[in-house]
Amino acid sequence: MRYAPFGKTGIEVSQIALGGHEFLANGRSRGFNEDMAKAVTPSYFLPGFGGPKRLEILKTAYDLGINFFDVTIDSEKEALGRNLADAPPPYPVYIQTRPEGMCYGYDPGNRKMLDYALLREEVQRGLKLIRRDAVDFLNIGLQKWSIDETPDYMPRLADNLQRLRDEGLIRFAVADSFGGQRLYLEQLASGAFDAVNLDLSIGEPGGLEKVIPEARSRGMGVIAREVFFKSEIFTIGEDVGVTDRAAVARTALAWVAKQGPDTIILGVDNAEQLRANAATLEAGEVALDLDLVAKLEGAPAFQAYRDQRLRAFFELQNEK
């Protein structure tokens, strides 16, 4: 496993960050694709998370040297906390998580995070689930309405995040968004964050233009996610006659690794998938099949996906 200095944190992170998603038989993530409203409700726990298969994945992560773990909904948080207690890591590990019910579109205007008492209470609740004394990386996922509806949103949020640090409840904060480049750049300019977490893939390269260079210029860590377009890349491959999903996965992952993020969040359904991903990253650029990239890029579904994602990221108007 390769490691990289993570911005100015003083921490070295593994090239793979193990995502906390568990999966349905159709390949979709559990929770979000079962009952979205309940899945993102604080203290709602779906049955079956953190079972024997997940514990095997965790132990494989240890064998590979993975030291960064990302969990989203409470079912994932509780499962990771329990699994880490049942199978303690043989080396220091770091957890990224978020305040439930406050990020993205779950809270209008993302206003709850401006109430320090509410934010503090939520962080403390999350700490009980992951069984840690402090959140290593608190992920703050915003929508554009945060800054569009509240002009002083960023300085107020920055103050709350610093108060959490001062109390020892969090170590670092991570800028996240589904709102695109403009919002990301405001997050970075606030000085409140130590790293940035963003979609980065063959089909969504927008962050390479300004967001990642700006993060690097500020000495911030970079986390990439959604390498496989939430599994959509495999359907796109099948549309152009590429049925070897492993080959598609290798090339998609190798492309992202070539862009140089510090760590890449990967969700896996079993230990074999995790080992295969680690092998791809160990191989480096030789795993990148440019002919396959060209074939995928030629697919109408790929072009539609990339166009839609880039238009959203750069807030471009759709053509009439």
Side-chain angles (χ1 to χ4, degrees):
M1 183 60 57
R2 297 171 183 169
Y3 299 86
F6 199 51
K8 297 178 181 178
T9 66
I11 291 171
E12 288 197 345
V13 294
S14 51
Q15 196 173 17
I16 292 176
L18 179 61
H21 286 355
E22 301 193 21
F23 296 91
L24 299 166
N26 64 6
R28 298 290 183 179
S29 57
R30 289 203 57 200
F32 300 98
N33 294 285
E34 292 176 288
D35 190 326
M36 178 72 165
K38 287 183 178 179
V40 300
T41 299
S43 298
Y44 180 82
F45 304 103
L46 288 145
F49 271 74
K53 184 167 73 169
R54 190 65 192 177
L55 199 56
E56 181 186 5
I57 291 171
L58 182 64
K59 292 177 179 177
T60 300
Y62 296 162
D63 291 342
L64 294 170
I66 294 170
N67 69 358
F68 196 103
F69 298 87
D70 175 77
V71 283
T72 56
I73 57 177
D74 279 3
S75 296
E76 296 176 10
K77 296 172 192 174
E78 187 279 331
L80 180 62
R82 172 166 39 87
N83 287 166
L84 289 174
D86 291 341
Y91 46 73
V93 298
Y94 310 101
I95 297 175
Q96 173 178 242
T97 192
R98 71 190 188 199
E100 194 61 70
M102 296 185 175
C103 294
Y104 308 127
Y106 309 141
D107 171 41
N110 300 128
R111 297 186 189 96
K112 289 180 181 178
M113 284 188 282
L114 297 183
D115 184 323
Y116 184 69
L118 285 179
L119 181 58
R120 181 178 186 271
E121 181 180 13
E122 173 56 22
V123 170
Q124 290 177 316
R125 190 189 67 84
L127 285 171
K128 293 178 181 178
L129 295 179
I130 61 174
R131 307 189 190 191
R132 307 277 280 194
D133 295 325
V135 175
D136 298 304
F137 294 95
L138 184 66
N139 179 288
I140 302 295
L142 301 179
Q143 295 284 48
K144 288 177 288 188
W145 57 16
S146 59
I147 58 173
D148 290 344
E149 296 177 5
T150 309
D152 62 346
Y153 190 94
M154 283 303 170
R156 290 170 63 186
L157 177 63
D159 182 67
N160 283 349
L161 292 176
Q162 189 56 51
R163 291 175 69 181
L164 290 173
R165 291 187 186 94
D166 292 343
E167 283 200 59
L169 294 173
I170 70 170
R171 298 180 64 188
F172 305 104
V174 180
D176 197 345
S177 169
F178 290 136
Q181 177 176 273
R182 175 172 63 93
L183 177 52
Y184 267 122
L185 293 177
E186 287 218 23
Q187 288 176 290
L188 303 190
S190 73
F193 298 97
D194 305 282
V196 63
N197 191 93
L198 78 169
D199 291 3
L200 181 62
S201 70
I202 300 173
E204 193 164 0
L208 296 170
E209 183 173 307
K210 289 185 178 180
V211 175
I212 292 177
E214 179 65 17
R216 291 304 191 197
S217 74
R218 293 176 176 274
M220 300 171 66
V222 175
I223 306 168
R225 68 175 176 213
E226 301 302 349
V227 173
F228 309 123
F229 317 176
K230 295 188 182 297
S231 297
E232 194 168 338
I233 193 171
F234 303 113
T235 301
I236 292 170
E238 290 170 359
D239 288 345
V240 291
V242 181
T243 58
D244 187 345
R245 294 168 67 96
V248 172
R250 284 193 299 271
T251 283
L253 180 54
W255 186 94
V256 172
K258 187 177 179 180
Q259 313 314 311
D262 299 315
T263 189
I264 304 169
I265 297 174
L266 294 172
V268 298
D269 188 47
N270 54 61
E272 290 71 26
Q273 289 178 359
L274 186 56
R275 293 190 190 96
N277 287 330
T280 294
L281 294 176
E282 185 64 27
E285 285 193 41
V286 299
L288 179 57
D289 184 339
L290 295 178
D291 290 335
L292 178 52
V293 172
K295 194 165 188 178
L296 293 169
E297 289 178 334
F302 178 93
Q303 294 166 10
Y305 177 90
R306 182 169 56 187
D307 181 70
Q308 187 274 326
R309 299 304 295 172
L310 291 178
R311 285 186 173 278
F313 190 78
F314 295 115
E315 297 183 75
L316 302 175
Q317 295 296 319
N318 289 324
E319 297 178 357
K320 299 293 186 181

